[in-house]
Amino acid sequence: MSTQVSTVANDNIAIAVHNVSKCHLIYDTPRDRLKQFLMPRLQRMAGQRQKTYFHEFWGLKNVSFEVKRGETVGVIGRNGAGKSTLLQIICGTLTPTIGRVETKGRVAALLELGAGFNPEFTGRENVYLNAALLGLTKEEIDNRFDDIAAFADIGEFLELPVKTYSTGMSVRLAFAVQSVIDPDIFIVDEALAVGDEKFQRKCFTRLESLKNNGCSILFVSHSPTSVVELCDRALFLEAGERLMYSGAAKAVRAYQKLIYAAPEVQKELAERYRVTDQSGEVAEFQSDDLPCAGDTTGPSDAFDPGLVPETTTRYAVQGAEIEGIEIRNASDQIVNLLRPGGDYQFIITGEFRKSFPKVYFGVHIKTISGVEVTGQRYPQEGTYVENVQAGQKFAVKFGFKMAMLPGVYFVGGGVWSSEEPTCLHRMLDALMFRVISLGRAKSFGYVDVSSMEPEVILR
């Protein structure tokens, strides 16, 4: 028995999945599909034993979980684990064979790339079509169209047929439509992996905003790091079954341990996870490893004019104004392609608009998904730069030895006062930089703190 998506009675629960199973009928040939349509009826009329011409594949098996309002849940598992099937059932585009799904509020989903777009329609026409299907009136779409167009940022292509779009442009427009309608539930199935680093950062910023507004998010990703950073909890699926529903870091460690285990150990490990998940016990892990940062190759100490963030946010000017943030190397060149282990200065420049008795400065570095990896304050905690005067210019230099692993990062900074208003000015994602790869990575995560070459002694 299956039931359609309905409304959750508990106001604190956005999604409730109850014992959902999905059976797919697999036919070896198109002829078998026709036989299955005709032969059982003829066999029944003739009083013969009915024969089937398919075999069953259960993509999901008795999966249950709940997602709270404002909660972000990652869905992890190997290819074929049932992640996409589960999301399609929650969205209502697939019907469960057994069980039921309940949701509360407007559901927006970014599943298959370009899904829901008419390739013959222009981008503008598809915006109106998709938004209307999501329940918006023409007036509501008119009011939000400029925001959608600005977020997608595909320029004149908005007036061209979608069939002329690249994959990246299609996902930009799809994400813009789905996220700008202010959904109660937002479901993303690996689509963000297509965009470049700047667009990914833009999307993660939007996801953070949706979450802060009470939106519940289901996020499927093959990037364990993104799941740990973004999600409150994670659902670990294996062969269509729920192995674990727990804190994101715990579920990711379990997933990594399983996929890297020897084949003969995986079945036993999966059963142990299943038992501990059902009993509520805490599973033991021998490895807390997180995935390696991706390698990126390129020249050393250079400037790439294309590395310009799309998510720069300037706070209100309340007595001081940051005019710029830049990175300079030991030769005093402005750079944004940095060498691992190199020495750099992150420089914040600006001007005080008012006089203040005590101020301090800060700079931070964030990942694409918005995790604050490191930062510095000047002067140190509890001390201040005293008696700054209106009209004074400032340039604050923070020294960094680049211990970050290869990847793309975002820089922001600010000026604060000991008195109200405390935040005189702040910029988020003021610039972005890339740490290049000089060879195979020997560390993982974001920071390389190794001090010597690893050594193995065999006795």
Side-chain angles (χ1 to χ4, degrees):
M1 181 185 72
S2 65
T3 56
Q4 299 297 321
V5 176
S6 58
T7 303
V8 179
N10 187 340
D11 285 341
N12 193 43
I13 301 298
I15 304 171
V17 177
H18 304 281
N19 303 312
V20 164
S21 298
K22 180 63 179 178
C23 181
H24 302 277
L25 305 183
I26 309 298
Y27 298 91
D28 293 332
T29 66
R31 181 182 302 173
D32 289 338
R33 185 182 296 273
L34 179 61
K35 286 181 180 179
Q36 181 62 36
F37 180 74
L38 297 174
M39 295 305 293
R41 301 181 186 185
L42 297 175
Q43 292 162 353
R44 185 170 59 252
M45 292 172 60
Q48 300 176 355
R49 182 177 64 86
Q50 296 181 37
K51 182 181 178 182
T52 58
Y53 297 89
F54 61 83
H55 59 273
E56 296 180 345
F57 171 74
W58 289 86
L60 289 174
K61 305 171 188 175
N62 199 35
V63 174
S64 298
F65 68 102
E66 292 181 338
V67 179
K68 299 176 183 177
R69 287 188 60 201
E71 186 175 36
T72 300
V73 171
V75 184
I76 58 176
R78 291 187 274 201
N79 290 331
K83 304 185 297 296
S84 296
T85 300
L86 175 62
L87 296 195
Q88 290 179 60
I89 289 174
I90 294 172
C91 293
T93 57
L94 274 184
T95 302
T97 306
I98 302 171
R100 73 184 193 278
V101 173
E102 300 175 287
T103 60
K104 185 175 182 64
R106 176 184 285 159
V107 180
L110 189 61
L111 300 178
E112 299 177 21
L113 295 180
F117 282 167
N118 185 322
E120 302 297 331
F121 287 5
T122 66
R124 178 183 293 272
E125 291 168 336
N126 272 292
V127 167
Y128 277 84
L129 174 62
N130 275 258
L133 292 173
L134 291 166
L136 271 67
T137 65
K138 184 178 184 303
E139 183 180 1
E140 288 176 318
I141 304 171
D142 289 340
N143 292 335
R144 304 184 193 196
F145 183 83
D146 288 344
D147 290 337
I148 293 171
F151 192 100
D153 193 22
I154 58 174
E156 62 186 15
F157 282 92
L158 196 61
E159 309 301 337
L160 297 179
V162 166
K163 65 182 180 182
T164 65
Y165 289 11
S166 67
T167 301
M169 285 190 288
S170 294
V171 76
R172 277 177 172 267
L173 188 61
F175 188 94
V177 174
Q178 299 289 342
S179 66
V180 172
I181 65 166
D182 294 328
D184 300 294
I185 299 169
F186 191 33
I187 297 174
V188 187
D189 185 4
E190 199 62 46
L192 300 188
V194 175
D196 58 27
E197 293 97 341
K198 290 190 288 184
F199 181 66
Q200 288 180 36
R201 177 70 184 116
K202 198 173 184 178
C203 291
F204 285 127
T205 300
R206 179 59 181 159
L207 291 178
E208 291 170 3
S209 175
L210 289 172
K211 181 177 179 179
N212 291 337
N213 290 333
C215 178
S216 301
I217 300 171
L218 270 181
F219 178 75
V220 170
S221 177
H222 283 100
S223 168
T225 304
S226 295
V227 173
V228 171
E229 293 171 353
L230 289 174
C231 301
D232 303 301
R233 290 193 284 176
L235 174 67
F236 177 14
L237 296 177
E238 173 74 359
E241 296 184 88
R242 166 180 156 171
L243 288 193
M244 185 177 296
Y245 188 40
S246 67
K250 175 183 172 184
V252 164
R253 290 196 298 268
Y255 167 62
Q256 291 181 315
K257 186 172 182 180
L258 180 74
I259 63 176
Y260 292 120
E264 62 272 14
V265 177
Q266 290 186 6
K267 185 175 181 180
E268 176 186 347
L269 202 55
E271 181 59 29
R272 181 157 67 91
Y273 291 156
R274 188 182 297 107
V275 170
T276 55
D277 179 65
Q278 292 172 353
S279 66
E281 297 175 6
V282 178
E284 296 296 330
F285 302 101
Q286 296 177 355
S287 174
D288 289 342
D289 292 352
L290 289 176
C292 296
D295 281 354
T296 55
T297 58
S300 299
D301 271 11
F303 183 82
D304 178 358
L307 281 177
V308 180
E310 299 178 356
T311 49
T312 301
T313 303
R314 299 178 69 93
Y315 282 30
V317 174
Q318 301 187 101
E321 183 172 8
I322 296 173
E323 297 171 349
I325 302 179
E326 62 186 23
I327 304 173
R328 291 183 177 268
N329 64 8
S331 300
D332 202 34
Q333 299 169 314
I334 296 177
V335 293
N336 58 13
L337 298 177
L338 313 185
R339 292 177 297 105
D343 291 313
Y344 301 94
Q345 287 188 334
F346 289 54
I347 304 172
I348 302 176
T349 56
E351 182 178 351
F352 288 105
R353 305 300 188 196
K354 298 179 182 178
S355 301
F356 294 94
K358 295 180 179 180
V359 300
Y360 66 94
F361 305 86
V363 65
H364 64 254
I365 298 174
K366 292 187 177 183
T367 66
I368 287 176
S369 58
V371 173
E372 194 167 273
V373 179
T374 188
Q376 293 185 34
R377 168 190 160 135
Y378 180 81
Q380 64 186 15
E381 188 75 30
T383 60
Y384 301 90
V385 176
E386 298 185 356
N387 298 320
V388 298
Q389 302 300 313
Q392 280 187 316
K393 297 279 189 178
F394 61 81
V396 191
K397 300 180 180 181
F398 296 92
F400 280 86
K401 179 172 285 293
M402 193 43 57
M404 313 292 291
L405 288 172
V408 173
Y409 302 92
F410 292 77
V411 181
V415 189
W416 288 266
S417 169
S418 63
E419 302 175 352
E420 293 291 341
T422 55
C423 182
L424 305 184
H425 194 214
R426 190 179 184 190
M427 289 183 67
L428 304 181
D429 295 355
L431 60 85
M432 58 192 294
F433 67 91
R434 183 190 300 275
V435 178
I436 63 173
S437 174
L438 299 180
R440 292 182 177 272
K442 298 179 182 179
S443 300
F444 52 84
Y446 294 118
V447 181
D448 183 1
V449 295
S450 59
S451 62
M452 57 175 285
E453 188 72 18
E455 182 180 3
V456 176
I457 299 174
L458 302 177
R459 300 184 183 280

